[in-house]
Amino acid sequence: MVFFVLLQRQTTRKKHMELQNIILVILNLAGALAIFLFAMKLMSEGLQKIAGSKMRSVLKHITGNPVSGILTGTAVTAAIQSSSATTVMVVSFVNAGLLSLAGAVAVIMGANIGTTVTAWIITLFGLGEGAGGFSLPMLLAAVSLFFIFSGRDRMKSIGQTVIGLALLLVGMELLQKPLANLDQYPEFLHALSTLSDFGFWSILIFVAIGAILTCVVQASAAMMAITLVMCYNGWIGFDVAVALVMGQNIGTTITANLAALVANAAGKKAARAHLVFNVVGVIITLIVFSPLMRFIAYLTENMTGSSPYASIDDPLYNRESVPLAISLFHTIFNVGNTIILAFFIPQILKIVNWMVKSKEEESEDEFRLTYISGNWLSTAELNLQSAKSEIEEFSKRVLRMYTFLPGLRTAKNDEEFDAIMARIAKYEEITDRMEMEISKFLTKVGSGDISVHASERISTMLRIIDNLESIGDIIYQIAMTRQSKREDAVHFDAGLNANLEQMRQLVQQALDVMDRNLHDYDHVDLDAAYAAEHTINAERDRLRKQHLDALKLGVYDYAIGNAYSSLYALYEKLGDYVINVSEAIDNSRKHTED
């Protein structure tokens, strides 16, 4: 009896120890994964600070040539080490009308090729003896200090990139340790073995697992790292690893599709194109799966002397053969699918047009942010393009609001007048909310680790939206003055109406110049902006002189004179806020050039 009690206690104690070990493995794995993801983010943001604005400029000038789009997508993604950043940026540009949908598909294809660089970095430097333990990361960290303490912004960004690479290698080293102990948990290995026993269906199962896990982790590079480590330690076979990689290519599309939730129809189509391309690519690969695997096995065996299908007991077994084979597959998979599907871009566009039905845009009288959302904060520097597009939309709303003013003078009855007033009031609320939301977005972007140039651009944008909101306020004040005039039965003669109409048209011209300047910060037409401002001031001075003379002569009474002078003064004040916008843009451009 005592023996059985002791045996039961020992069994219970063993189960507790196994549970503790499992929890410890999970915690170690989570910590290593966190370091790896942070390293990827650090390295990506460092590279974006070095060339972020140039990347935006390059992407904006993509033509309809698929080859140029593919090469650009490859180069940009290889440089910034984030296909998610590239695809989100592409969705942003399509959404803003800066990039055609066909061009976006080509860039996305190239972005998939660019992701293969990460797998090769991990394979060559992050696994086995090539990793060198912590010696190489320590050396890279030491080198990064030279750049970080140099004092120059660009050098600091290079240092951030180097230390990001160092931490990535540390993350890989730490990932290997908990996964290397999986042989202590036969239940886990048995489960993997069971899922691997269904032939071709097993491939489909692991494709689905890879897609789901990548959606959860939100980082295909991290899942690729885990896959390579498990291959290196022999816990999963070559076919299973390949299936996980294909699933990761599908799962990585979730980021762009999340970003497109708040995008217009064109932006949604760009995100769906990413999904379609990757899914079709997986289908093509599954069709030629067996011959493709034999070809990769042949290449790997010639390079390492060992087949990725070799057993651990095989005397020629080389544990580095499977990770190498996976990297080869990843490259061939993305390059091959891009070459094939580049000829079918029109067909891909037909599919996404069917998936996303173009519909009438929401009423302009409703508040909505079109280009920015919380999902786009993964890459602070690139988000400035989204903010810029949103500010352009803000300007469009303000100009639209301004066009309502003539209707207040020509309204035939109170019902028509009240309807226009209600619309102007609604737009004034929209401008207030847009200023608040864009300001919050820019503040959140600015709270991250950004370059000096990006910080200056954020300050410029904050000044711009403040003045745009003030323009909306002045338009509303003009409308309220018109309303008070109507309620007090104050009537202007033809001459006064003509003078105010002239003033309104001059301000309209200034608003048009401002709007053009907002679309291209690098080519601000400040001369045209100042010319429009001087014309408004000169007209205000002329009307004020006439007004004072009319009051002296008693041409009209005080009520008419008060309403009249208030209106032309408000138009002139509106012009002051308009010129402030162009001056803010020009000041930002000068800082950039310096």
Side-chain angles (χ1 to χ4, degrees):
M1 184 67 180
V2 174
F3 172 77
F4 287 111
V5 171
L6 291 174
L7 182 62
Q8 186 176 9
R9 287 180 179 178
Q10 186 176 358
T11 304
T12 304
R13 190 181 299 111
K14 185 177 180 181
K15 288 182 179 179
H16 282 308
M17 290 179 66
E18 287 180 355
L19 180 60
Q20 289 174 358
N21 289 335
I22 291 172
I23 293 173
L24 188 61
V25 168
I26 293 173
L27 290 176
N28 287 336
L29 186 61
L33 190 59
I35 291 174
F36 182 88
L37 291 173
F38 175 71
M40 286 296 299
K41 183 176 184 291
L42 199 66
M43 188 166 63
S44 176
E45 289 186 351
L47 288 164
Q48 289 170 39
K49 289 174 191 176
I50 296 169
S53 59
K54 292 181 181 178
M55 296 300 179
R56 291 193 292 271
S57 177
V58 168
L59 281 175
K60 283 196 294 185
H61 292 90
I62 292 294
T63 63
N65 183 358
V67 176
S68 67
I70 291 169
L71 292 177
T72 300
T74 302
V76 170
T77 305
I80 66 176
Q81 282 295 291
S82 174
S83 62
S84 295
T86 303
T87 51
V88 166
M89 185 168 40
V90 166
V91 170
S92 171
F93 287 153
V94 173
N95 199 40
L98 299 174
L99 183 64
S100 69
L101 188 56
V105 173
V107 173
I108 288 169
M109 288 179 173
N112 276 29
I113 297 176
T115 59
T116 61
V117 173
T118 305
W120 283 110
I121 290 174
I122 296 170
T123 299
L124 297 176
F125 302 107
L127 291 170
E129 296 178 1
F134 290 104
S135 57
L136 180 57
M138 291 296 288
L139 175 62
L140 290 173
V143 171
S144 70
L145 295 177
F146 169 77
F147 294 102
I148 291 172
F149 292 120
S150 66
R152 295 175 56 190
D153 188 60
R154 185 177 179 84
M155 296 292 279
K156 288 180 179 178
S157 298
I158 294 174
Q160 177 180 336
T161 303
V162 174
I163 202 167
L165 177 59
L167 283 174
L168 184 142
L169 297 178
V170 170
M172 283 302 306
E173 184 74 18
L174 294 176
L175 273 175
Q176 292 184 67
K177 291 185 176 179
L179 291 177
N181 297 323
L182 286 180
D183 56 352
Q184 299 177 10
Y185 307 100
E187 297 85 358
F188 174 78
L189 297 179
H190 177 71
L192 282 178
S193 176
T194 301
L195 290 174
S196 304
D197 290 340
F198 299 108
F200 191 74
W201 286 106
S202 293
I203 303 300
L204 298 180
I205 290 171
F206 281 101
V207 167
I209 291 173
I212 293 169
L213 290 177
T214 306
C215 287
V216 173
V217 176
Q218 281 281 289
S220 59
M223 287 306 304
M224 173 63 77
I226 292 174
T227 302
L228 289 171
V229 170
M230 294 181 74
C231 288
Y232 184 77
N233 287 287
W235 307 138
I236 57 174
F238 179 45
D239 287 352
V240 168
V242 164
L244 287 174
V245 170
M246 287 191 286
Q248 290 157 21
N249 272 264
I250 296 175
T252 194
T253 64
I254 190 66
T255 305
N257 279 279
L258 285 174
L261 289 176
V262 294
N264 57 25
K268 286 182 172 67
K269 289 176 182 178
R272 300 297 187 277
H274 189 204
L275 175 63
V276 169
F277 171 71
N278 284 15
V279 170
V280 172
V282 169
I283 293 172
I284 292 173
T285 304
L286 289 173
I287 292 172
V288 297
F289 189 78
S290 294
L292 179 60
M293 295 303 98
R294 287 196 297 271
F295 174 67
I296 293 173
Y298 171 78
L299 290 178
T300 306
E301 191 167 0
N302 278 274
M303 295 171 70
T304 65
S306 174
S307 169
Y309 290 108
S311 169
I312 295 179
D313 299 328
D314 192 322
L316 297 178
Y317 173 73
N318 184 343
R319 67 188 309 189
E320 295 181 0
S321 63
V322 179
L324 177 63
I326 293 301
S327 297
L328 285 171
F329 168 79
H330 194 218
T331 302
I332 293 172
F333 170 77
N334 286 300
V335 173
N337 282 326
T338 297
I339 293 173
I340 294 170
L341 294 177
F343 295 99
F344 296 94
I345 289 179
Q347 286 71 26
I348 293 175
L349 296 182
K350 287 182 180 179
I351 294 173
V352 298
N353 285 329
W354 173 77
M355 293 174 71
V356 181
K357 301 295 183 182
S358 296
K359 58 182 180 180
E360 293 296 322
E361 294 290 341
E362 296 177 47
S363 169
E364 287 192 349
D365 291 356
E366 297 299 326
F367 169 77
R368 70 183 187 280
L369 292 177
T370 308
Y371 305 106
I372 63 177
S373 77
N375 293 325
W376 293 25
L377 283 171
S378 58
T379 52
E381 298 266 333
L382 299 179
N383 280 340
L384 293 182
Q385 176 60 42
S386 301
K388 180 178 180 294
S389 298
E390 199 68 67
I391 290 172
E392 291 170 14
E393 179 68 18
F394 195 173
S395 176
K396 175 184 172 183
R397 290 292 187 94
V398 169
L399 265 66
R400 176 69 172 157
M401 181 182 180
Y402 189 74
T403 62
F404 300 151
L405 291 177
L408 295 175
R409 181 175 63 84
T410 60
K412 297 180 177 61
N413 50 55
D414 289 343
E415 183 178 357
E416 183 180 344
F417 184 92
D418 291 342
I420 297 172
M421 275 298 302
R423 201 171 189 190
I424 291 175
K426 185 65 175 292
Y427 265 66
E428 199 275 333
E429 292 178 4
I430 290 173
T431 60
D432 287 345
R433 292 185 63 186
M434 290 192 77
E435 191 271 339
M436 180 179 66
E437 293 299 328
I438 298 173
S439 177
K440 284 167 57 180
F441 179 83
L442 289 172
T443 301
K444 193 169 183 180
V445 173
S447 65
D449 185 15
I450 58 175
S451 66
V452 172
H453 168 65
S455 179
E456 290 170 351
R457 183 58 64 94
I458 289 172
S459 297
T460 295
M461 289 179 170
L462 288 171
R463 184 181 171 191
I464 289 170
I465 61 175
D466 179 61
N467 281 282
L468 287 175
E469 191 273 334
S470 296
I471 291 172
D473 287 344
I474 298 299
I475 295 172
Y476 183 65
Q477 289 179 38
I478 292 172
M480 292 295 291
T481 303
R482 284 282 185 184
Q483 186 178 49
S484 298
K485 168 183 168 295
R486 187 180 185 89
E487 291 172 350
D488 295 339
V490 174
H491 302 285
F492 295 156
D493 61 23
L496 296 183
N497 279 327
N499 288 337
L500 290 172
E501 177 59 20
Q502 172 68 10
M503 194 69 167
R504 188 196 68 80
Q505 291 179 8
L506 293 176
V507 174
Q508 179 68 65
Q509 292 171 12
L511 284 167
D512 292 339
V513 173
M514 176 200 77
D515 190 58
R516 289 197 299 272
N517 287 337
L518 279 171
H519 282 75
D520 191 353
Y521 288 12
D522 297 324
H523 300 90
V524 182
D525 192 350
L526 202 61
D527 291 337
Y530 277 131
E533 165 70 3
H534 292 155
T535 304
I536 292 170
N537 289 341
E539 181 67 10
R540 185 274 316 273
D541 293 341
R542 185 184 74 83
L543 295 183
R544 183 164 56 189
K545 185 178 182 304
Q546 284 185 354
H547 169 63
L548 294 175
D549 291 341
L551 287 178
K552 290 177 183 178
L553 297 174
V555 175
Y556 42 71
D557 60 25
Y558 174 79
I560 292 175
N562 184 55
Y564 176 61
S565 62
S566 295
L567 286 170
Y568 69 67
L570 284 170
Y571 277 115
E572 189 277 331
K573 188 176 181 181
L574 196 156
D576 290 340
Y577 289 118
V578 171
I579 191 64
N580 287 345
V581 172
S582 292
E583 286 179 336
I585 301 170
D586 185 64
N587 185 59
S588 174
R589 178 182 61 82
K590 288 177 179 177
H591 277 298
T592 302
E593 290 175 351
D594 293 341

